[in-house]
């Protein structure tokens, strides 16, 4: 459930009409609802009830400081994948012991920075990364807490670009090598194996793959404990999907938590979850203005001032995002249309072959479910300044990141003299 709805046929975020924000901030802009973010975090967190657990929101989904700050104040920890994300969570005052660090390519600089912040654990993705962390922790004279990210070889049944837990994916350590590499970890002086991690993919719309993966890693935790490696944390990653349209209804977080807790029963361990999309996805929209409407021979093209540099998901994954007029009218006919951006690429579309109401030049439209992997994947392609970001709470809004300026785009550049 979210707080974007029509009041008097004007699309609002909470109590603020989106056309009012557009008038003051310009377009395109991302708009986030604070009440929705809080609700999504609470529903997810409460679903795990009194079980021993820590939510580590996955920063990559949306790394706006205002969002991280809001979640940190609600008790969230964070899943990070870079030195930049580490610095973001440090800036919002999150203590290191609520941070887990994933990713296959951690550099020396990033590992050292994370050791200095005393993070909760490194989710180690290879044998060579384990040795590197041991060496660097030794250099600082500390012990690095680690989990091995185990690739359980389970098919998450999602888009191939966002499935991560299959043998052919670059992520994690094959479950068949787990015992051996844990034994190595236990023998090293400067790493301490305290957990086991697994993340199988994103936008999962059924529970079975999560449960299958959990069954596999649970057996490993039991075997490792028997072998004298007492793990305290089981990190099950993120991945729970969200409804992008009325046809796909992924499981509610309560069903997800129930399924995991039932499977875990009896295994005394602190559960870590790394949700990203399910927290922010439907808490944000992208608002754009229609520049032109062009009648093609087969369909209509609605050309907006937002393009694939602002929201790349449709171009990259053929992702579906619902498009709504900001001002609703009931007298419009619907016609087959593409909503496209100004970028010089055929792949620059926000929606393709969609039945949409007639839009006119100058009108505003909203692209729903854009809070996750929207702004965080945006770029300056075609030398386009990135969009503004706005946060709404009740009847109030503030710009949390101003629109970039063309000057900013090139201020760091020099000519080769
Ligand atoms: N943990 C790890 C280790 C991850 O790799 C990811 C996402 C998450 C947690 C959070 O997953 P979520 O709960 O958001 O599904 N750009 C793609 C999604 C890429 C996901 C990458 N990893 C998209 O726009 O669909």
């Amino acid at each position: 459930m979210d707080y974007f709805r029509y009041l008097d046929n004007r699309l609002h975020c909470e109590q603020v009409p989106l056309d009012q924000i557009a008038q003051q901030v310009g377009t395109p802009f991302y708009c986030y609802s604070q009440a929705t973010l809080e609700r999504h975090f609470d529903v997810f967190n409460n679903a795990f009830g009194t079980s021993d657990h820590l939510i580590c929101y996955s920063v990559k989904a949306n790394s706006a400081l205002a969002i991280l700050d809001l979640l940190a104040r609600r008790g969230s920890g964070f899943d990070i994948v870079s030195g930049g994300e580490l610095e973001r969570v440090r800036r919002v005052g999150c203590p290191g012991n609520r941070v887990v660090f994933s990713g296959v390519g951690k550099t020396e600089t990033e590992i050292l920075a994370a050791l200095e912040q005393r993070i909760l654990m490194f989710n180690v993705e290879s044998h060579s990364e384990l040795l590197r962390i041991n060496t660097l922790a030794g250099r600082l004279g500390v012990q690095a807490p680690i989990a091995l990210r185990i690739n359980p070889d389970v098919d998450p049944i999602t888009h191939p670009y966002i499935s991560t837990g299959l043998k052919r994916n670059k992520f994690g350590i094959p479950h068949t090598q787990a015992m051996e590499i844990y034994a190595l970890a236990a023998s090293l002086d400067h790493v301490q194996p305290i957990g086991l991690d697994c993340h199988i993919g994103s936008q999962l719309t059924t529970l079975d793959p999560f449960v299958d993966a959990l069954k596999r890693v649970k057996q490993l935790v039991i075997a490792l404990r028997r072998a004298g490696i007492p793990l305290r944390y089981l990190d099950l990653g993120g991945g729970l999907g969200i409804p992008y349209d009325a046809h796909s209804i992924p499981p509610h977080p309560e069903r997800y938590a129930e399924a995991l807790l039932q499977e875990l029963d009896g295994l005394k361990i602190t559960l870590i979850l790394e949700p990203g999309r399910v927290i922010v996805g439907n808490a944000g929209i992208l608002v754009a203005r229609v520049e032109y409407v062009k009648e093609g021979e087969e369909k209509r093209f609605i050309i907006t001032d937002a393009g694939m540099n602002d929201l790349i998901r449709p171009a990259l994954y053929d992702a579906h995002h619902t498009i709504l007029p900001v001002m609703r009218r009931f007298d419009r006919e619907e016609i087959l249309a593409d909503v496209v951006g100004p970028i010089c690429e055929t792949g620059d579309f926000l929606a393709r072959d969609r039945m949409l109401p007639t839009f006119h030049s100058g009108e505003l439209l909203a692209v729903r479910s854009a809070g996750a992997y929207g702004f965080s994947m945006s770029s300056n392609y075609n030398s386009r300044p990135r969009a503004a970001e706005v946060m709404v709470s009740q009847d109030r809004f503030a710009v949390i990141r101003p629109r970039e300026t063309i000057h900013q785009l090139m201020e760091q550049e020099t000519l080769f003299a």
Side-chain angles (χ1 to χ4, degrees):
M1 205 207 100
D2 62 59
Y3 295 93
F4 295 96
R5 70 219 139 146
Y6 287 103
L7 295 171
D8 290 333
N9 294 321
R10 271 168 109 186
L11 190 59
H12 283 61
C13 176
E14 304 193 22
Q15 293 150 38
V16 182
L18 289 162
D19 57 296
Q20 187 188 323
I21 302 179
Q23 208 172 25
Q24 291 182 36
V25 175
T27 50
F29 66 91
Y30 277 93
C31 178
Y32 309 117
S33 152
Q34 175 167 329
T36 310
L37 282 164
E38 290 175 345
R39 189 190 137 80
H40 288 177
F41 180 80
D42 291 349
V43 165
F44 195 91
N45 192 25
N46 295 341
F48 288 88
T50 53
S51 67
D52 205 354
H53 72 277
L54 174 66
I55 309 292
C56 287
Y57 164 73
S58 192
V59 174
K60 64 177 83 66
N62 189 318
S63 54
L65 290 176
I67 290 179
L68 303 183
D69 174 53
L70 190 146
L71 295 174
R73 283 192 276 118
R74 268 186 134 63
S76 186
F78 297 99
D79 158 49
I80 59 160
V81 290
S82 71
E85 289 188 353
L86 177 66
E87 179 58 16
R88 283 183 177 273
V89 302
R90 194 192 65 78
R91 289 216 185 164
V92 298
C94 177
N97 66 9
R98 281 202 256 141
V99 178
V100 296
F101 191 174
S102 314
V104 295
K106 301 176 192 78
T107 65
E108 287 201 2
T109 314
E110 288 173 328
I111 293 168
L112 286 168
L115 285 170
E116 271 155 22
Q117 297 290 319
R118 300 257 180 281
I119 65 164
L120 179 61
M121 63 186 190
F122 290 86
N123 289 336
V124 175
E125 306 229 12
S126 64
H127 176 259
S128 33
E129 181 192 332
L130 181 68
L131 298 180
R132 178 181 273 185
I133 293 176
N134 184 56
T135 307
L136 296 173
R139 203 185 288 167
L140 296 185
V142 295
Q143 287 243 317
I146 63 118
L148 295 187
R149 176 169 176 180
I150 300 303
N151 184 330
D153 194 25
V154 166
D155 188 350
I157 317 172
T158 185
H159 190 284
Y161 286 10
I162 52 178
S163 86
T164 52
L166 284 168
K167 262 197 257 197
R168 60 170 176 271
N169 300 136
K170 69 176 175 180
F171 297 97
I173 291 168
H175 66 106
T176 48
Q177 295 172 18
M179 294 302 286
E180 187 191 328
I181 301 188
Y182 267 108
L184 169 68
S187 74
L188 296 172
D189 287 338
H190 294 284
V191 296
Q192 196 189 3
I194 61 164
L196 189 147
D197 168 48
C198 108
H199 167 85
I200 55 174
S202 198
Q203 185 54 18
L204 272 70
T205 50
T206 58
L207 292 177
D208 291 349
F210 288 116
V211 174
D212 290 349
L214 175 51
K215 282 199 166 97
R216 284 228 153 138
V217 294
K218 180 180 161 186
Q219 290 316 315
L220 268 178
V221 172
I222 294 170
L224 286 161
R225 283 179 170 171
R226 273 201 212 112
I229 302 179
L231 301 183
R232 281 183 279 145
Y233 296 99
L234 180 57
D235 182 341
L236 291 175
L240 186 59
I242 60 167
Y244 279 98
D245 58 42
H247 308 297
S248 75
I249 308 290
H252 189 277
E254 278 168 15
R255 300 291 85 71
Y256 167 76
E258 246 168 47
L260 299 185
L261 292 174
Q262 191 183 344
E263 188 56 43
L264 269 183
D265 192 34
L267 192 75
K268 285 204 166 44
I269 202 147
T270 302
L271 200 54
I272 296 178
L273 288 316
E274 303 173 352
R277 191 187 315 264
V278 74
I279 308 292
V280 289
N282 276 321
I285 60 168
L286 173 65
V287 177
R289 198 174 284 283
V290 175
E291 293 285 354
Y292 302 101
V293 178
K294 177 154 93 173
E295 301 299 337
E297 279 184 20
E298 284 177 10
K299 56 188 163 188
R300 176 175 289 170
F301 294 98
I302 298 166
I303 305 168
T304 70
D305 61 3
M308 67 189 285
N309 74 300
D310 298 299
L311 180 67
I312 202 175
R313 303 195 69 259
L316 196 56
Y317 316 113
D318 215 5
H320 176 100
H321 286 262
T322 298
I323 307 247
L324 296 173
V326 168
M327 298 300 194
R328 185 166 60 172
R329 289 199 342 239
F330 293 100
D331 58 351
R332 305 184 198 225
E333 58 155 348
E334 294 217 331
I335 189 165
L336 193 69
D338 283 8
V339 180
V340 302
I343 290 188
C344 300
E345 298 246 4
T346 302
D348 179 25
F349 59 87
L350 299 174
R352 254 194 321 192
D353 295 328
R354 198 72 72 79
M355 288 304 286
L356 286 172
T358 310
F359 279 97
H360 298 290
S361 156
E363 269 187 280
L364 295 169
L365 57 77
V367 184
R368 282 192 57 109
S369 315
Y373 309 106
F375 188 89
S376 65
M377 293 180 83
S378 67
S379 77
N380 294 121
Y381 188 38
N382 278 203
S383 283
R384 286 167 49 81
R386 275 179 295 176
E389 290 180 287
V390 171
M391 178 81 82
V392 170
S393 175
Q394 298 182 5
D395 59 357
R396 194 166 74 70
F397 77 88
V399 173
I400 57 166
R401 190 182 202 274
R403 181 180 317 289
E404 284 176 344
T405 62
I406 287 176
H407 171 72
Q408 278 172 328
L409 291 187
M410 48 204 96
E411 70 185 341
Q412 305 288 338
E413 291 183 40
T414 53
L415 302 184
F416 182 57

